[in-house]
Amino acid sequence: MKVELRNLTKIFPSRNKKSGEEVVAVNDFTFTIPDGKLVGLLGPSGCGKSTTLYMISGLQKPSSGQIFFGEEDVTELSPENRGVGLVFQNYALYPHLTVKQNILFPLQNLKGADKLTKDEMLEKAEYAAKLVQIDELMDRKPSELSGGQQQRVAIARALVKMPRVLLLDEPLSNLDARLRLQTREEIRRIQKETGITTVFVTHDQEEAMSISDMIVVMKLGVLQQIGKPQDIYDDPTNLFVAKFLGTPPINVFSGRVEGGKLYIGEDAVLDVPAIEDKNVTVGVRPEGFIPDENGAFTCLLSNIEVMGRDMSIVCKNEASLNPIVRAIVNSDIKVDYSKVNVKFALKPHKVFIFDAETEERIYF
Ligand code: ATP
């Protein structure tokens, strides 16, 4: 099911009557989630991710704008009538019911033509439980399950009606690191197996990048960029997006363009004939450095961390806006540890230039 947001806006009235300032939680979002895709809504706390998800679910009404499922305008439909499955961070299972009863629950409320027989309900519950691999645990209570298992039950409960759209709000937040990794792979598998269009909210860029077909990067209620994770990583539209995606993070420097050359400090690191003279901010991905005796960019070596296949060359540069500069190179490369300075050539496609004021990307 294709999901389309058209000029979607959510404004919350001020909680503080005196200041009277309202919060624009979601500001004029227009984008389309293609049928059968897994999409991550990504951004720092307060950027409007959950509000967007709740508007898609019908739990919150937009202040303006429309939501379409396929060709159907669902903006005015209640959550029950939208055909969505919702999974929350805290699982929200019924503690006094068994796993089976929890999964059956959404089916028991169906009315009219949708009403199911007991056998039909059981069959659907079994199918959903198998899909998330908890069919062995059907008679347990939630308190007798691990966090990962509880989250699977919550996903099974959301899937049992075979929703048109599956919505997950920070589904992995309550799990420890190992389970997070495992469960995110599970979500990917289940989504692929069912082909249900899925939207999930996260503030963890690695999580979003690893399993999403598409990510939507947001900041303070404003859509920053939407696309395939790798495309956004390779081609960020502004400094915020460049900084938000990537581990280790992008190295950021204050720089300037002068006479068609890009300078970081006194080092002319790239030819940029198309850019006029101005102050800029320069981002260099950690993998964008090539150790090179004749390289134009000089850094003061701090230390070298070898991590199997790769090594991090950690150094300092006065123009850096971060405390350290981190270059990641293949650990086969020989670096002279005794030297005070290391010199690098830069890979042009790993260097991004941003306007120093607006922080928007300047292409070269
Ligand atoms: P988090 O990752 O912390 O959950 P988020 O990106 O999901 O954040 P939202 O919960 O969508 O962000 O909130 C977006 C903005 O709207 C925030 O500034 C928040 O304080 C505000 N907000 C959310 N719900 C309400 C509400 N019911 N009343 C007033 N303001 C709200």
Side-chain angles (χ1 to χ4, degrees):
M1 177 67 57
K2 181 177 81 173
V3 176
E4 201 181 334
L5 311 188
R6 290 191 197 164
N7 306 104
L8 202 68
T9 295
K10 178 72 182 179
I11 300 171
F12 289 109
S14 165
R15 287 206 180 104
N16 178 343
K17 287 208 175 96
K18 265 194 198 144
S19 78
E21 262 189 46
E22 45 193 22
V23 179
V24 185
V26 173
N27 193 349
D28 200 19
F29 276 17
T30 295
F31 62 82
T32 300
I33 299 170
D35 181 29
K37 297 292 181 200
L38 177 63
V39 175
L41 301 182
L42 176 67
S45 183
C47 71
K49 306 179 291 290
S50 301
T51 305
T52 306
L53 196 81
Y54 295 156
M55 286 195 285
I56 299 174
S57 74
L59 287 177
Q60 269 175 3
K61 264 183 94 68
S63 307
S64 58
Q66 290 166 296
I67 302 167
F68 286 80
F69 285 2
E71 300 310 312
E72 186 190 1
D73 184 347
V74 298
T75 319
E76 297 300 325
L77 288 187
S78 66
E80 304 79 56
N81 294 325
R82 282 192 194 193
V84 293
L86 254 171
V87 176
F88 296 98
Q89 174 180 341
N90 60 4
Y91 325 132
L93 298 175
Y94 301 109
H96 57 289
L97 301 183
T98 63
V99 168
K100 191 198 277 176
Q101 289 165 334
N102 264 286
I103 300 175
L104 281 169
F105 194 83
L107 302 178
Q108 287 160 340
N109 294 325
L110 294 175
K111 305 248 156 50
D114 294 332
K115 203 167 162 49
L116 299 172
T117 66
K118 208 167 173 204
D119 282 348
E120 285 169 334
M121 281 195 261
L122 280 173
E123 194 182 323
K124 282 182 187 286
E126 282 287 337
Y127 173 74
K130 276 214 172 74
L131 203 57
V132 303
Q133 297 174 348
I134 43 137
D135 45 320
E136 306 284 313
L137 308 170
M138 292 295 245
D139 296 322
R140 293 215 199 156
K141 294 268 174 66
S143 60
E144 296 162 343
L145 301 175
S146 72
Q149 289 166 336
Q150 289 184 50
Q151 194 53 298
R152 283 164 193 253
V153 178
I155 295 171
R157 190 180 57 182
L159 285 173
V160 74
K161 282 204 278 183
M162 278 298 140
R164 301 199 281 178
V165 183
L166 180 64
L167 304 167
L168 310 162
D169 189 9
E170 298 260 6
L172 308 173
S173 300
N174 286 2
L175 306 178
D176 66 34
R178 193 181 52 83
L179 258 180
R180 273 183 93 105
L181 213 68
Q182 198 184 333
T183 312
R184 83 182 186 204
E185 297 306 326
E186 277 291 281
I187 289 176
R188 184 51 168 164
R189 177 188 62 78
I190 294 162
Q191 192 274 332
K192 280 206 154 156
E193 238 173 277
T194 57
I196 296 175
T197 307
T198 301
V199 186
F200 82 106
V201 160
T202 180
H203 58 267
D204 181 338
Q205 55 95 20
E206 214 183 317
E207 194 168 288
M209 287 189 76
S210 61
I211 61 168
S212 311
D213 294 307
M214 245 169 78
I215 50 180
V216 179
V217 187
M218 305 162 55
K219 176 189 170 191
L220 291 173
V222 180
L223 186 71
Q224 303 291 305
Q225 195 165 359
I226 177 163
K228 290 185 186 157
Q230 193 65 36
D231 290 350
I232 298 184
Y233 180 83
D234 289 339
D235 199 6
T237 184
N238 59 33
L239 181 61
F240 172 83
V241 175
K243 281 162 75 173
F244 204 72
L245 262 59
T247 2
I250 194 163
N251 299 286
V252 184
F253 305 90
S254 60
R256 66 186 193 285
V257 174
E258 222 175 271
K261 289 192 185 301
L262 173 66
Y263 286 86
I264 298 177
E266 293 313 308
D267 298 335
V269 293
L270 282 183
D271 286 335
V272 288
I275 305 179
E276 60 188 38
D277 290 2
K278 60 161 83 178
N279 288 332
V280 293
T281 303
V282 186
V284 184
R285 291 274 182 222
E287 67 277 21
F289 298 89
I290 308 166
D292 180 349
E293 291 281 307
N294 302 313
F297 182 58
T298 307
C299 266
L300 184 68
L301 183 62
S302 294
N303 64 306
I304 292 180
E305 299 165 5
V306 182
M307 303 159 295
R309 193 193 53 187
D310 296 329
M311 69 182 168
S312 270
I313 304 174
V314 181
C315 41
K316 297 208 160 154
N317 181 287
E318 286 203 343
S320 173
L321 298 175
N322 307 331
I324 58 152
V325 177
R326 187 180 291 275
I328 295 194
V329 300
N330 192 302
S331 53
D332 291 341
I333 293 175
K334 294 279 163 281
V335 178
D336 187 350
Y337 291 79
S338 64
K339 287 219 165 134
V340 178
N341 286 323
V342 270
K343 283 182 166 285
F344 296 104
L346 301 183
K347 299 177 191 169
H349 67 288
K350 294 288 177 183
V351 177
F352 308 125
I353 304 176
F354 305 96
D355 187 290
E357 299 292 319
T358 64
E359 301 190 345
E360 289 302 315
R361 178 93 173 269
I362 304 170
Y363 291 87
F364 62 96

